[in-house]
Amino acid sequence: MTPLFFSAACDFCDGRATVQYYEGFVVYRGARDGLVHEEYVFRSLRDAKRFRSLRDMDDVEIRRVRSHEPFHWRRSGGSVKGLELADHRYAIFPDHRYEPRPFRAHVG
């Protein structure tokens, strides 16, 4: 006998998943060339906008990102002072389907 049908349920897709996410903002250049790239994650939309403006990237959109792990915020130094951003760059995935690990987030 050969099975003819396969069905599956996705708790996340059906809204039944209870996942605690931590949120931030990135100047999102997308998954260029199909690869996931690391980006700076900012605590506020205002800081992300300021960073984008100072880097002459006004044509790049800012997106909210979510992580399974909490972000650890710090104040920036160097040429762009006073921004609040995560203490590491994060690999930014296009959606929630990735293996949760530290320093990973997805567009949400």
Side-chain angles (χ1 to χ4, degrees), residues 20-32:
Q20 169 66 41
Y21 287 119
Y22 301 91
E23 296 184 341
F25 296 88
V26 295
V27 178
Y28 186 63
R29 292 174 270 195
R32 301 173 299 279

Side-chain angles (χ1 to χ4, degrees), residues 34-51:
L35 303 173
V36 173
H37 294 273
E38 292 186 345
E39 302 286 356
Y40 293 108
V41 178
F42 299 93
R43 187 171 198 163
S44 71
L45 178 59
R46 181 184 57 82
D47 285 342
K49 285 181 178 180
R50 185 166 167 234
F51 177 81

Side-chain angles (χ1 to χ4, degrees), residues 51-66:
F51 177 81
R52 179 179 68 177
S53 177
L54 292 169
R55 294 292 172 111
D56 292 324
M57 297 189 317
D58 292 323
D59 58 332
V60 180
E61 68 179 316
I62 295 172
R63 302 284 300 267
R64 180 184 311 269
V65 294
R66 295 179 174 151

Side-chain angles (χ1 to χ4, degrees), residues 19 21 67-69 93 96-106:
V19 178
Y21 287 119
S67 174
H68 293 275
E69 303 288 329
F93 291 83
H96 69 280
R97 295 175 297 199
Y98 64 96
E99 183 180 344
R101 286 193 215 158
F103 315 121
R104 288 181 165 195
H106 66 275

